[in-house]
Amino acid sequence: MSALTDTLTTKLRYRRDLGLLFDPRTGTFHRLRNTVAKTMVDQVFSGADRDAVIDIVSRRYRTDRCHVAADFDTLITTLTTPSSAQLQPHGRSLLAVDKRFDGTLDFPLRMEIELTAVCNWNCGFCYNVWKIDPTMSDNDIRRTVRQLPEKHIPTELATGILDECAERGCFVIRYSGGETLLHPDAMEIFEHGGRLGLYQVVFTNGHFINAERAARLAAANVRCVLVSIHGDRDQHNQLTGHPRAYDKAVDAMRLLLDAGINVVAELTLVKENVSGALDVIRDAHRIGVREFGVMRYVPTGRHDDQYGVPVSVTLPLMREIDRLTATECPGMTVAWPCAQKLCTSDTDAPLRADDPTLALRFSQLAGHCESGLVWASISYDGRLRNCPHSNVYFGRLADHPLADLWPTLTDRVRTALTVRPTCAGCAVADACQGGCHLSSFFTSKTPTGLGIPAVGTAPATSTDR
Ligand SMILES: C[S@@+](CC[C@H](N)C(=O)[O-])C[C@H]1O[C@@H](n2cnc3c(N)ncnc32)[C@H](O)[C@@H]1O
Ligand code: SF4
Ligand code: SF4
């Protein structure tokens, strides 16, 4: 193999069915749009060297060999030398690629794995705790979680899932929890993923990060860490129920940045912290963080009156954030994940293509989350679901490979995503898809209980929440 083709196959990973190349170091995706480029890359990843590829392509397309050689060299050089424009912030680059699939994926492109059910914080808004049993008191739930026979995903199951993902072209793995780093083998699992060349993202409260751990994460190809921060010191400690939570989270962000890891500060927007949200962005910027996520509270059916934030706060807050980043926090990217409706309206309010607020909306709202279409989530007990907020499951990974469970899940999600009549004519319907489709994928009537699998019994229509 020539040096050029060698660089391509060692630097990039290839998803042949999608014509998609991925750089696991930078998180950059390249989509091959023309069939000649795809033929060239197919051949390289099948083991053909430069001369062989040029022969095959010039014969197949009856084109002059010198032209093909020049095109081939330009293509490979472009793919292996990412331009600065391609090095977008972590979230933007991944989300941009998510939106571009019309057909059903044979296998997900990203996965989330919940490593553990255990947490050292006590966030009253947490969706995980609710799923144990919404009728229990907070204390009873915590006690129950501690006593779960399998509170951490078995290490061999986690590494087996990573093996399958690497083999089948699922390039990005996000780990979550509970507190992710409370899995006793968390670091070993990340190191396994790093050896497989996966781009890894860790969601954490930051409590267990120290300099040595940060360096180990960087060495394991954990390229991005999402650190939760929900207010100033007093508010954050109060919301998380831990007296040192804020200082630990801030220290963690600094240590991770020092280790060269991309840090995203993640605020869960609840009633209490709406007015302080701008200050949290300021604080994160001061620390050196340049990516910020605003995750609006997702109803859990438990304390929704206490924490729930109406959609109507979104647009005014977006305007203030826009002003803040333009004046006091240069370079800060703020994104609202989790399928915020682009119209930011409780009722559907179709947008026109010439709406003057579209640019602002698209600058912060990520659009549809693509859960179940491009990615899915695995719970600490090894069950597959379309998103971490859902309690409707599609089988156990201990019993079936992901490749066998994924098709049923993704077909169900596609069915659930039928456009609502009230969204008709909306200019941004493709990007928005009506917002979150979770209501089709959880059941609040029957708590899952402990170890009792909830099955896919939710209606296959999307209703607004
Ligand atoms: C479940 S935690 C797991 C990782 C880690 N323990 C942490 O706190 O960052 C992941 C994120 O989900 C957020 N979250 C929890 N419950 C939520 C809810 N009901 N709605 C929206 N976000 C929620 C948390 O605040 C956190 O930012
Ligand atoms: S389905 Fe809803 S709750 Fe789940 S990730 Fe998407 S937007 Fe969030
Ligand atoms: S698709 Fe529906 S929910 Fe989304 S912006 Fe348009 S009207 Fe609003």
Side-chain angles (χ1 to χ4, degrees):
M1 205 179 266
S2 68
L4 212 52
T5 53
D6 208 19
T7 311
L8 186 74
T9 51
T10 48
K11 244 186 140 178
L12 300 181
R13 309 203 48 229
Y14 186 42
R15 184 81 180 246
R16 193 180 291 252
D17 56 333
L18 304 174
L20 201 65
L21 285 146
F22 182 66
D23 183 336
R25 295 287 301 167
T26 63
T28 311
F29 279 98
H30 305 269
R31 181 176 286 233
L32 300 171
R33 293 184 188 284
N34 79 56
T35 46
V36 179
K38 185 162 184 318
T39 307
M40 287 175 172
V41 174
D42 277 355
Q43 291 301 327
V44 172
F45 276 85
S46 301
D49 65 14
R50 180 178 179 275
D51 284 347
V53 177
I54 293 164
D55 277 347
I56 291 164
V57 172
S58 52
R59 255 187 281 118
R60 189 176 296 174
Y61 296 96
R62 296 199 175 92
T63 314
D64 174 61
R65 224 179 161 279
C66 292
H67 283 139
V68 175
D71 286 352
F72 179 78
D73 292 345
T74 308
L75 174 71
I76 306 295
T77 308
T78 310
L79 291 174
T80 50
T81 337
S83 69
S84 54
Q86 285 165 333
L87 296 174
Q88 302 170 44
H90 153 84
R92 289 281 148 164
S93 140
L94 300 183
L95 291 168
V97 122
D98 267 8
K99 313 288 178 208
R100 296 193 217 146
F101 300 104
D102 298 329
T104 303
L105 267 59
D106 293 340
F107 198 77
L109 200 51
R110 305 192 270 127
M111 279 305 287
E112 183 196 69
I113 306 176
E114 191 176 83
L115 291 189
T116 178
V118 179
C119 194
N120 60 321
W121 285 4
N122 298 305
C123 306
F125 52 75
C126 185
Y127 58 84
N128 279 331
V129 168
W130 158 78
K131 273 183 282 177
I132 298 293
D133 183 345
T135 61
M136 281 186 184
S137 72
D138 289 359
N139 280 339
D140 281 350
I141 288 176
R142 277 195 286 280
R143 192 170 320 116
T144 309
V145 170
R146 277 197 296 275
Q147 287 165 2
L148 281 173
E150 288 182 17
K151 45 187 176 283
H152 309 299
I153 196 167
T155 303
E156 319 71 64
L157 178 58
T159 52
I161 294 167
L162 297 181
D163 290 342
E164 189 187 356
C165 285
E167 171 76 27
R168 303 284 304 238
C170 173
F171 301 133
V172 182
I173 307 289
R174 182 169 97 170
Y175 303 92
S176 190
E179 174 38 42
T180 314
L181 293 174
L182 279 173
H183 190 292
D185 295 332
M187 300 306 285
E188 287 74 13
I189 293 171
F190 307 148
E191 279 159 358
H192 188 85
R195 282 192 293 276
L196 293 169
L198 296 165
Y199 181 96
Q200 301 184 99
V201 180
V202 171
F203 213 141
T204 175
N205 63 29
H207 201 95
F208 301 101
I209 299 285
N210 54 30
E212 186 244 325
R213 277 229 170 97
R216 234 177 124 181
L217 289 172
N221 206 38
V222 171
R223 308 299 304 164
C224 175
V225 176
L226 313 173
V227 183
S228 289
I229 182 126
H230 309 310
D232 62 13
R233 184 180 280 107
D234 286 348
Q235 185 161 63
H236 181 77
N237 291 348
Q238 181 256 319
L239 279 169
T240 59
H242 194 292
R244 288 199 299 145
Y246 180 86
D247 292 332
K248 285 286 194 178
V250 167
D251 284 352
M253 289 190 223
R254 290 205 174 98
L255 291 167
L256 291 160
L257 287 168
D258 287 349
I261 294 176
N262 194 359
V263 172
V264 183
E266 288 279 345
L267 174 121
T268 301
L269 192 70
V270 293
K271 212 173 260 172
E272 280 169 81
N273 64 10
V274 174
S275 59
L278 293 187
D279 284 337
V280 187
I281 299 176
R282 280 190 191 96
D283 289 346
H285 189 265
R286 214 169 290 131
I287 295 166
V289 172
R290 291 294 176 265
E291 284 188 71
F292 197 96
V294 185
M295 169 91 172
R296 195 163 62 88
Y297 173 75
V298 175
T300 66
R302 227 165 158 256
H303 299 306
D304 294 343
D305 285 348
Q306 185 183 343
Y307 295 111
V309 178
V311 188
S312 54
V313 306
T314 316
L315 195 59
L317 186 52
M318 279 165 58
R319 286 205 170 96
E320 291 184 50
I321 290 173
D322 198 44
R323 270 194 293 275
L324 180 79
T325 51
T327 52
E328 292 175 53
C329 301
M332 184 66 119
T333 306
V334 179
W336 299 58
C338 222
Q340 305 304 313
K341 291 167 69 175
L342 284 165
C343 56
T344 61
S345 165
D346 283 319
T347 54
D348 298 332
L351 291 163
R352 291 167 46 125
D354 60 356
D355 187 302
T357 62
L358 274 195
L360 171 66
R361 291 173 197 274
F362 276 111
S363 71
Q364 289 183 39
L365 301 182
H368 190 254
C369 70
E370 307 288 308
S371 81
L373 300 177
V374 170
W375 65 279
S377 171
I378 296 166
S379 62
Y380 68 90
D381 55 2
R383 289 184 289 167
L384 182 70
R385 58 205 173 175
N386 70 313
C387 98
H389 298 254
S390 168
N391 69 351
V392 174
Y393 298 91
F394 291 81
R396 289 181 181 277
L397 274 298
D399 302 333
H400 303 277
L402 181 54
D404 287 359
L405 300 180
W406 167 258
T408 314
L409 183 156
T410 196
D411 285 350
R412 276 285 310 284
V413 173
R414 271 196 186 276
T415 315
L417 277 173
T418 36
V419 179
R420 287 186 294 274
T422 41
C423 293
C426 179
V428 297
D430 268 2
C432 175
Q433 301 203 39
C436 174
H437 53 286
L438 183 62
S439 56
S440 299
F441 290 96
F442 78 39
T443 163
S444 53
K445 292 189 200 87
T446 46
T448 53
L450 295 178
I452 303 167
V455 287
T457 51
T461 52
S462 178
T463 50
D464 199 14
R465 293 171 43 244

